[in-house]
Structures are given as structure tokens and as C-alpha cells.
Amino acid sequence: MQEIKLEIEELIHNNAPDFEIAKVIKNNINNYYATLPEIFKESGGKDFLIKHTRKIDSVIKLVYKIATREMFQEYFVTKSAIPLVITALGSYGREQLSPKSDIDIMFVYKDIPGYNIKALIEKMFYLLLDSGLKLGHRVHEISELEEVAKSDITIKSAILEARFIDGTKYLWFEVQNAIEHIRLYKQEEFILAKIQERRELRAKYPLMMEPNLKEGVGGFRDANVVYWIGKLLYNVPTIRDLPRDIVDERDYAEFRSALEFLFRVRSALHLVVKKKSDQMRLEYIPDLAKMLGYLPIPREQFKLSRRVNKALRIVWLYSRIWLDKLASSKIEIYTDYLKAPKEFKEDKELIKFLISNANREFNSHPQLNFNFLHTEKTTKFDEDFYAMLLQIIDSKYTSSILKAFSEVNLLGYYIHPFKKVEALAQFDGYHKFPVDIHLIKCIEALEHIEDKRLSNLYNALPKEKQRVLKVATLLHDTGKGRSSDHHVIGSNIFRAFAKKLGFSKEDIALGANLVLHHNKLSQFAQKEDIYSPKVIANFTAFFPTKIELDMIYLLTYADTSGVGANIYNTFNARLFATLYNNALEFLQHKEFLDEMSKRVHRVESLKRSKAFKVLPMRLQRKIISIDSNLPFIKYTTNRIIEISKRALEVDDYIYELSNSKFLTVEIIKKSNLDLGYLLAKLSFLNIANLDIVRLFDGKKYFKIDFQDTVDNAYLQEVASIVENAFLIQEPQKVISPNLDIEDILIDCNHSANYALMKLVTKDKKGLLAYVMTLFEELKIEIVSAKSQVIKTKAYDLFLIDKNGKFCKNVELIKGKLTQ
């Protein structure tokens, strides 16, 4: 600083213009700001802020000296004689100035003739402005200071924390006297106004994924209000100096540690963003974590975000406790909050008190928070304790008790599954709140169901199922924060917790399934064709009973509502309701539902297999999209993969013959195949099994197992028959099987897209050849078919595309089969 002073002395001596002097100061300031990241590494937190404040003080003092030299020149006037004092306000006044924060100063003067004070202030202001400092400034004559403060509580707050920078100490004493009068003026009014201001800002900036470090819950403003009101009532310089019956020494240590960390984070934020910023946006976190010394990996970024969130909670908790104690001598500021009638010695007594009041919604009084913090904590989590937790679950307003735990940072202490998710960030671009707050808001949503139909569904659930739903809703995201799938971990967490609560095996399995698949309804409704029978069948396989559908519908409503305001809206409500309705209707098709359930479990198993994981993503998607359930129920994983890989390469057709234990014909085709011709030509052989599978890209797989082998010499003839089946042939004359009408079941309402034909009859040669020939004549498209002969009885099942002519020709088909 000495070098710059010498340089400026020379400029003044040479009568250099002010902009030249300002340029020198600006260069010095810019060089200083360039070194801030290095200075920050050496001293973060409050130390860094104090150093930064001192630097700005030195610049202002230098400018004051320059201005007085230029104004008075050879008429030297002592500093004490000049009727001007320069004070710091706001974060600058509190010595909490972050690198890019506004520098708020106040000039207080006496308008004495001959000093030309207004011109001096103007010269100082423009020198500071031209030096590149981002100023916020006020100018007041000492006589008007009190009136100005009385007119606006923001001005009053600023003046209360004014700090002397430079000028005459005589006038500063007068300023302090004025501040004392301001402090005593309408204290109750000031307290109420400040409390209301904070409530409005906390509502605007709740504890979200991108917290506002200044105005939000637990931000610097919460600490500032404690300071302002403490200053107002006790005229103390810091919060720590407040009476011990208001600020407990141990509480203050935790509060100060959290606040110091937040100071450090805010300074780093300014340095990273290179501008004034109070919101910790997700895109800033990687660079912010690096600046704060965290490793450049996602886990460390989660660690930072979680620590910030916890620090904000601590500042908010102690701020509200101290505000209540400070204000209670003047006015009651928490009038509609639940207050304990006495101090409890044990936390279990306090928990029982909360349960007894949970028949109505409540917010905890700060006195209740303080009581929780300072009661003896239980270390015995036995059957009695879990019986008490079950009472919390059964309470009408469970969420009020959960919030009471959360406010004192004990949610994970009492409900162990929350230990790893308290204040845990969710960097998915969707959730607005940390995991624990989101889960509490989900419970709140269950307690305030506005949709009449959903409300009726919830009220219709038996009490034990409401319990299961509440616990599943509460725990559905507690598996987050681990490297493995949170759905699986959450499901296991539910099992362990529900067992301790005394749930039946049936209810444990039910709740675990809800947690495991808690986002299925939302995913299917918003990403799939909810009118597709296949989609509906796939979805319903996860929830194969009405009560399970009801519960996942309610959980999805709660989960979506708990994300943030207006996330559950008319649009997705309609999608959820439509899928739920379609699934309810589908439940009536029990046979197909059983098939789909098996398919779903098989697909999940397939996805986990190593052989499937190494396939190209394109082929993986094609396999999962196969319409037919048959391969997923009947074939091994390797067989499904083998058929699919071969099908991917087929442009026309391929086939394979096997004749070891019995004759087998396998075909994968894209071209037209006259299956009726092929079966008619081989009708002298009894068919043991027929599989037809519609694969992908317009390709089908056929597997025909006959009951006997053929001479190896005849295999060439079989090959010729297969080859000829791909050529246009004259229709084969096949004898009608002459079935009884009772042998035929046709259901054209099987699903929206597919009809079903089922034949159960005595095995007859040529039966399938006749059916396939008939279908070829009528241009009927088979999606899937399976045929088996057990002893002497044939069981044939055909899934048929309703877009064709099948349902229009039901009577004709029955007639042909029975003639």
C-alpha cells in the first residue's frame, strides 16, 4: 500500500486529474482481487472476510485522504476538525464482506459553512466509483439521522450496525448517540416487522436443492435478525455477547461453526462465479467444491451440498430459539405454535406429548425445539420404542411430528433409515428438495389429498394397509446416496424397518414391492403408450391386485406432490388416472396377467445377465420389445439371445432341421411363409409342439416339434417342403378337423389390440395344418401361438392381431372348424 501512496503523492504534487489518481487505485484494487483465490486458500471463513474488509477500509481511508488534500490543499485542516464521518453498513459494517458484495457506506456530516462538505463527499464518491468499487451509499446530515431511521426499518437495521471507518471521532460520538435513540425507538414494532420480513423471505426461499445463502432458511439474514434484535434490546456488539440465559455457550459453538462454514462457501461462490451471487446453483457446485478443497468427484460434491444444507438448518434452528427468547420480554412472536406445558427430562416423554397433539396439524414452538435439544436422549431402541414409532405412523398428522424431529436434526436419530439421507442432495434436475424434506412432504401430501377419488381410495384402505402405504411413502427414497440401485436398497430398508414395527410377512412383502417399484406408475404413464395392451400388461404385472394398484396410485400421487409446487398437475393427474383405470380393467384377464407377471420377472432377470449386458443397446431394446410373452416364459436366457442375434442378421429367411430324438423345424423369416402348406405336407406326422413368436423388424420365429423322427434320407425332402413354403403354392386340400363347438374358445375382447383363440380337443392329425391354412385364406395375422399335445389331448393357443379380419369372421371360423 505504501508504493501506491507514494505514486499518488506524486500525482497530487503534479496536479494530475482525479481520473489519473482513480486509475492508479483501480489497478491496485484489480491486482488485489486477482490474488483473492490464493488468499482464500490460506484463510477462509470469517478471517478471510475480515482481511477483505480491512483492505476495502484502507482504500476508503486513502481516498478520504486524497480528497481532503485536494479540497484544502495548503490550508491544512486536521481530520478531527472536518465535520464528516464515514461509516460502513450492511455486511461491510459487520465485517462479513464477501468478494463481490456491494460495499455499503454512509457519509454523516454537519453542514458548517466554510468546509464545503458536500463537495468533499461528492469528490470522494466519484473517486471511489472511478476506482472500480461497487458502492451503495447514503449521505445524511447528523440532525436528520434519527428521522430517516424511523421512516424505514431497513435503514434502521443498517444504521444499527454502522461501523466507523474514518473521519472525526467527535462527530462519531454524536452518531453513536443518535444510534442509541434509534435503538430505543418503537422496539416492538421493529421486532414484528423483522420477523414478518424473514417469514416472507423464508417462504420464498425454502431449504431447496439450490439454497439461497443470504435470504433463504438458515441464511445470513436469519443470523442478522438475531444480531439486530440483540443489538436493539441489549446493545451488544455480537450475538455471543448476549446473556447466557438466552444464548447457551454450547449452542453458540455449533451455530458459529455452521455460520463460519457458510461464510467460507459464500466467499468461494463469489470467486467461482466472479459476481455477486447468493444462490448455490447446481451448475456452480463442481467448481465450488474444487475451490473449497473437495475432490473432483460426484461423491465429494454431494458431501459439500449436504454439509451446506446441514449448516443452514443449524443456523435456522438456533436463530429461531434465540429470537423467541429475545422477543419474549417484549412480545410473543410464535403465537400459533405447539408449546410444551413443561420441560421434559426424557425425550420419550416429549415424543409422547407430540403424539398426543398430532390429531391436528402443528408447528413446533422454538421452546419445544430447545427442550428437544437439551433433554436426555434415549439409547434404547426396543419394542416399546418401535411401538411408539407405530403410534406416530398411525397419527392423523404424522408429518407434524416428523418435522419436529427434522427441525432439531434428530430425524435420523429416531427413524434410523433416515440417517444416510438427512440433508442429502438430489442432483437429478427434477427434485426440488433434499431427500428427507421430500419424504416428509410426501407424507404431508397423503394427509391433504385434494383429489376426491384418491381420497376415497385412501379412506377405503384397511388400517393396516394405510400403515403399509405410509411407511412405504416415508421410506421410498431412503436407499439414495449409495452406489447401488436405491429402489432395491430402499426395498430392503423397508423390510428391516417394517419387521421392527411388527408388520405381518404379507404386509412386509407388499410394502417392499411398492418401494421397489415406486416410480413405475409415473414412468409408464409419462413415457409409454398407456393404451397399448402390452404396456398395460407389463405395468399390471408389477401390481397384480386391486389393492396394490390403489396403493401405488396413492404413493405416486404423494411422491409427485412432494417434489414441489404444481408438479402434480392436471396433465399428469389425467395420465396417472388413465393408466390406473386401464390397469384395473386389465386385472379381469387373470390368465394373461399371470403370463405378463412371469414375463416381467423374466425380463428383469434377463437385464441383469452378463450375456444380455454385453449386447449392443439396439439389440437389447429390440429383445425387450418382443410382443410375444412365450419366449420369456418358455426359453432360457441364452436361447432368447441366440434367436434374437440370428434374427437381427436375417434379410429373407433361415431355417434349421434337427432329427435326433424327434424332428424339429426352426424358421426365422421376414418373407411370407405359407405355414398351412408346410404343415399340410407334413401332416402325416403328429405335432408335439408349435411355437410362433413375432420378434422385431417384421420378423417371426417358428419352432415345430414333431412326436417322431424321420428317416435321414427324408430330411432333404423336409428341407424342400420348407423351401417351397416360401414360394407361392396352390392351396393344399386339408380335411376339416370336425371339432365340437365346446372345443373352441374365441375372445375378441382379450385386449385392445389382440384377440384370443383357444382350442382344447382330442389330438387329430392335420389340425394345425387346417387352422393355418384357414388363417392364410382369411389373411389373419398371428402374433403368438403355442401348441402342445399332452397324452392324447391338444392344447392350442393363438394370440391374434385385431387389426385383421379375425373378429369379423368368428362365425365363419367356428363353422369351418366344426363342419
Side-chain angles (χ1 to χ4, degrees):
M1 202 69 181
Q2 191 60 35
E3 289 181 11
I4 186 176
K5 286 179 180 178
L6 292 173
E7 188 175 352
I8 289 170
E9 280 289 341
E10 183 156 349
L11 288 171
I12 293 172
H13 180 73
N14 294 327
N15 294 318
D18 282 355
F19 78 85
E20 288 288 348
I21 297 172
K23 187 177 178 181
V24 172
I25 299 172
K26 186 172 185 178
N27 287 337
N28 178 268
I29 291 171
N30 288 341
N31 291 335
Y32 163 72
Y33 272 99
T35 65
L36 277 180
E38 289 304 314
I39 297 172
F40 178 79
K41 288 179 183 177
E42 296 171 7
S43 58
K46 187 67 189 291
D47 287 344
F48 172 78
L49 299 180
I50 290 173
K51 286 181 180 179
H52 181 52
T53 300
R54 294 287 180 265
K55 171 62 180 179
I56 302 303
D57 282 356
S58 70
V59 172
I60 291 173
K61 288 177 180 180
L62 177 61
V63 168
Y64 180 55
K65 184 177 181 180
I66 293 166
T68 54
R69 282 280 305 278
E70 288 191 346
M71 284 292 294
F72 298 106
Q73 296 184 8
E74 68 271 18
Y75 301 103
F76 180 74
V77 181
T78 61
K79 189 184 292 185
S80 60
I82 302 171
L84 175 66
V85 66
I86 305 129
T87 66
L89 305 178
S91 61
Y92 182 35
R94 296 187 301 273
E95 296 183 316
Q96 298 170 0
L97 185 66
S98 294
K100 298 295 180 179
S101 293
D102 292 345
I103 299 163
D104 296 322
I105 61 176
M106 178 172 68
F107 299 97
V108 183
Y109 68 96
K110 273 188 178 180
D111 197 6
I112 299 175
Y115 283 95
N116 205 8
I117 292 297
K118 291 181 180 177
L120 176 62
I121 292 171
E122 186 176 351
K123 179 177 275 292
M124 272 195 72
F125 175 71
Y126 282 112
L127 272 170
L128 289 168
L129 211 59
D130 291 341
S131 299
L133 294 182
K134 190 178 179 184
L135 288 181
H137 77 293
R138 306 191 65 82
V139 180
H140 295 295
E141 213 274 335
I142 183 64
S143 61
E144 68 179 19
L145 204 56
E146 289 185 41
E147 287 306 313
V148 170
K150 291 175 183 178
S151 68
D152 189 295
I153 65 160
T154 303
I155 299 173
K156 181 172 180 175
S157 303
I159 292 175
L160 280 173
E161 58 193 2
R163 178 177 61 83
F164 178 82
I165 300 175
D166 209 346
T168 172
K169 286 293 180 74
Y170 297 115
L171 185 57
W172 173 241
F173 293 147
E174 291 188 46
V175 170
Q176 288 180 308
N177 286 332
I179 291 173
E180 180 65 11
H181 295 151
I182 292 166
R183 182 178 75 81
L184 297 171
Y185 179 76
K186 292 189 177 179
Q187 292 181 332
E188 293 90 343
E189 186 179 301
F190 179 83
I191 292 168
L192 283 175
K194 278 297 171 188
I195 294 297
Q196 183 58 31
E197 181 182 78
R198 284 306 299 140
R199 284 174 177 167
E200 290 172 4
L201 283 169
R202 280 196 294 265
K204 186 178 180 181
Y205 302 109
L207 265 177
M208 300 181 78
M209 290 306 309
E210 298 182 324
N212 189 303
L213 302 179
K214 180 180 178 181
E215 305 289 5
V217 172
F220 299 116
R221 277 286 180 261
D222 276 333
N224 293 346
V225 172
V226 176
Y227 168 73
W228 290 327
I229 296 177
K231 177 81 173 176
L232 190 83
L233 299 176
Y234 291 93
N235 199 23
V236 292
T238 68
I239 294 174
R240 187 174 190 173
D241 294 310
L242 287 166
R244 291 281 76 87
D245 62 331
I246 293 175
V247 176
D248 179 86
E249 190 68 34
R250 289 171 302 166
D251 292 350
Y252 180 79
E254 188 178 11
F255 167 84
R256 187 66 206 179
S257 175
L259 196 62
E260 282 280 332
F261 176 68
L262 293 174
F263 282 143
R264 184 169 169 76
V265 172
R266 191 194 193 200
S267 296
L269 184 61
H270 282 204
L271 293 173
V272 164
V273 182
K274 297 179 180 177
K275 64 179 181 180
K276 179 182 177 180
S277 179
D278 295 312
Q279 190 165 18
M280 203 171 96
R281 301 185 69 84
L282 297 182
E283 62 263 31
Y284 301 153
I285 289 177
D287 291 333
L288 184 59
K290 185 179 178 182
M291 175 70 73
L292 289 164
Y294 289 82
L295 295 174
I297 54 176
R299 185 177 62 207
E300 290 283 288
Q301 293 161 19
F302 274 96
K303 194 174 175 182
L304 166 63
S305 186
R306 191 176 191 185
R307 189 177 171 190
V308 168
N309 209 282
K310 284 189 172 182
L312 291 168
R313 296 178 189 207
I314 289 167
V315 171
W316 176 79
L317 170 63
Y318 291 117
S319 293
R320 74 192 304 260
I321 289 172
W322 297 336
L323 283 173
D324 174 58
K325 289 187 176 185
L326 282 166
S328 60
S329 63
K330 294 282 183 181
I331 191 168
E332 178 62 56
I333 56 176
Y334 294 97
T335 53
D336 295 321
Y337 292 71
L338 180 64
K339 192 172 183 179
K342 62 175 183 175
E343 284 194 9
F344 295 96
K345 292 183 179 180
E346 293 184 1
D347 57 349
K348 283 187 179 181
E349 294 177 20
L350 189 47
I351 293 170
K352 288 174 182 176
F353 170 73
L354 295 179
I355 293 169
S356 68
N357 282 276
N359 59 331
R360 63 179 181 88
E361 211 167 2
F362 66 80
N363 290 305
S364 298
H365 192 281
Q367 175 249 33
L368 198 60
N369 296 149
F370 184 80
N371 204 180
F372 243 128
L373 290 172
H374 295 276
T375 52
E376 185 180 340
K377 303 295 181 296
T378 183
T379 56
K380 194 175 181 183
F381 300 99
D382 52 13
E383 286 185 13
D384 290 342
F385 179 80
Y386 279 96
M388 191 164 59
L389 289 189
L390 200 57
Q391 286 182 285
I392 293 174
I393 299 299
D394 288 340
S395 298
K396 185 176 181 180
Y397 290 104
T398 302
S399 64
S400 291
I401 302 175
L402 298 175
K403 282 190 284 186
F405 291 166
S406 179
E407 285 171 359
V408 291
N409 302 308
L410 289 172
L411 185 59
Y413 184 81
Y414 292 122
I415 302 179
H416 296 162
F418 275 82
K419 279 184 179 178
K420 288 185 179 291
V421 295
E422 276 188 296
L424 181 66
Q426 305 188 78
F427 297 147
D428 54 12
Y430 173 62
H431 288 90
K432 310 296 181 188
F433 302 101
V435 175
D436 56 335
I437 294 178
H438 164 67
L439 293 174
I440 293 173
K441 286 186 174 295
C442 291
I443 295 295
E444 275 189 290
L446 273 185
E447 294 166 352
H448 299 86
I449 302 175
E450 295 179 2
D451 184 299
K452 189 174 180 181
R453 183 187 191 186
L454 283 165
S455 179
N456 289 339
L457 285 176
Y458 181 78
N459 292 330
L461 289 174
K463 183 180 180 181
E464 66 273 13
K465 301 309 182 208
Q466 287 184 357
R467 278 180 178 172
V468 173
L469 177 61
K470 257 192 175 181
V471 176
T473 301
L474 182 62
L475 302 185
H476 74 268
D477 275 345
T478 51
K480 288 187 172 179
R482 282 88 158 177
S483 55
S484 301
D485 184 355
H486 84 275
H487 300 84
V488 177
I489 294 172
S491 182
N492 291 334
I493 288 172
F494 177 91
R495 288 180 184 278
F497 189 70
K499 186 176 180 181
K500 290 178 180 179
L501 290 174
F503 283 17
S504 68
K505 288 183 179 180
E506 176 193 342
D507 284 344
I508 291 173
L510 172 60
N513 187 61
L514 288 172
V515 174
L516 181 62
H517 301 301
H518 67 259
N519 57 358
K520 288 295 184 191
L521 190 148
S522 177
Q523 285 182 344
F524 272 82
Q526 298 185 90
K527 296 181 180 179
E528 304 286 350
D529 176 7
I530 56 177
Y531 296 97
S532 161
K534 180 185 171 185
V535 169
I536 298 166
N538 276 333
F539 168 70
T540 312
F542 291 105
F543 312 102
T545 64
K546 183 180 182 301
I547 199 162
E548 287 175 274
L549 275 178
D550 291 349
M551 291 172 79
I552 192 60
Y553 187 16
L554 286 159
L555 196 158
T556 304
Y557 159 78
D559 189 13
T560 309
S561 300
V563 170
N566 302 317
I567 300 299
Y568 183 81
N569 51 45
T570 306
F571 174 72
N572 54 34
R574 189 183 301 116
L575 289 176
F576 297 163
T578 302
L579 178 56
Y580 170 78
N581 291 335
N582 291 344
L584 271 184
E585 184 180 347
F586 189 80
L587 283 180
Q588 299 172 21
H589 302 283
K590 185 70 170 62
E591 181 180 320
F592 194 50
L593 179 60
D594 290 342
E595 263 195 18
M596 284 308 303
S597 181
K598 291 175 184 175
R599 175 198 171 109
V600 166
H601 287 101
R602 187 56 188 284
V603 166
E604 294 300 315
S605 174
L606 183 68
K607 287 179 180 177
R608 291 192 295 271
S609 72
K610 291 182 180 179
F612 183 81
K613 288 179 179 178
V614 299
L615 295 176
M617 285 299 298
R618 184 169 67 101
L619 182 55
Q620 289 185 24
R621 287 193 292 268
K622 288 181 184 293
I623 293 172
I624 300 304
S625 70
I626 292 172
D627 282 336
S628 174
N629 295 328
L630 188 149
F632 299 103
I633 296 170
K634 191 172 181 181
Y635 301 160
T636 65
T637 294
N638 288 337
R639 183 71 178 137
I640 294 169
I641 292 172
E642 179 195 347
I643 292 169
S644 301
K645 287 168 73 172
R646 289 168 63 196
L648 193 66
E649 304 299 324
V650 169
D651 292 323
D652 191 359
Y653 66 88
I654 58 171
Y655 67 91
E656 187 178 326
L657 305 179
S658 171
N659 193 39
S660 53
K661 295 181 180 179
F662 45 81
L663 174 65
T664 296
V665 179
E666 285 186 273
I667 301 168
I668 300 176
K669 66 91 181 177
K670 190 171 186 180
S671 305
N672 288 327
L673 169 68
D674 190 340
L675 187 59
Y677 167 85
L678 190 155
L679 294 177
K681 283 293 187 180
L682 298 175
S683 60
F684 62 92
L685 294 169
N686 290 319
I687 295 176
N689 178 74
L690 167 66
D691 292 345
I692 302 176
V693 178
R694 187 156 77 182
L695 297 169
F696 45 77
D697 299 337
K699 298 168 188 178
K700 280 188 178 181
Y701 169 74
F702 300 82
K703 183 172 185 284
I704 312 163
D705 296 319
F706 295 92
Q707 292 183 12
D708 303 304
T709 58
V710 296
D711 292 336
N712 286 332
Y714 191 71
L715 277 179
Q716 187 59 47
E717 180 63 25
V718 175
S720 296
I721 293 170
V722 173
E723 297 275 358
N724 288 334
F726 286 99
L727 305 173
I728 299 174
Q729 301 288 341
E730 289 292 324
Q732 296 296 301
K733 291 185 178 178
V734 187
I735 300 171
S736 170
N738 194 21
L739 304 180
D740 293 332
I741 194 68
E742 293 83 9
D743 297 340
I744 307 166
L745 172 66
I746 293 177
D747 180 7
C748 279
N749 294 314
H750 181 68
S751 72
N753 293 340
Y754 303 134
L756 180 79
M757 184 174 86
K758 189 173 183 180
L759 305 179
V760 180
T761 185
K762 185 178 179 182
D763 185 30
K764 298 180 181 181
K765 285 187 178 182
L767 171 60
L768 287 176
Y770 185 85
V771 172
M772 293 305 170
T773 302
L774 178 59
F775 282 4
E776 287 289 338
E777 288 177 8
L778 297 175
K779 307 297 183 188
I780 290 170
E781 171 75 8
I782 298 174
V783 175
S784 177
K786 57 183 177 182
S787 176
Q788 283 185 305
V789 175
I790 301 175
K791 294 183 178 179
T792 61
K793 210 153 194 177
Y795 298 87
D796 303 324
L797 187 68
F798 304 90
L799 199 62
I800 299 156
D801 200 322
K802 284 169 70 171
N803 291 334
K805 300 178 180 180
F806 180 78
C807 290
K808 294 178 182 177
N809 291 287
V810 169
E811 294 306 317
L812 173 63
I813 291 166
K814 286 182 177 179
K816 292 276 189 181
L817 290 173
T818 56
Q819 67 183 12

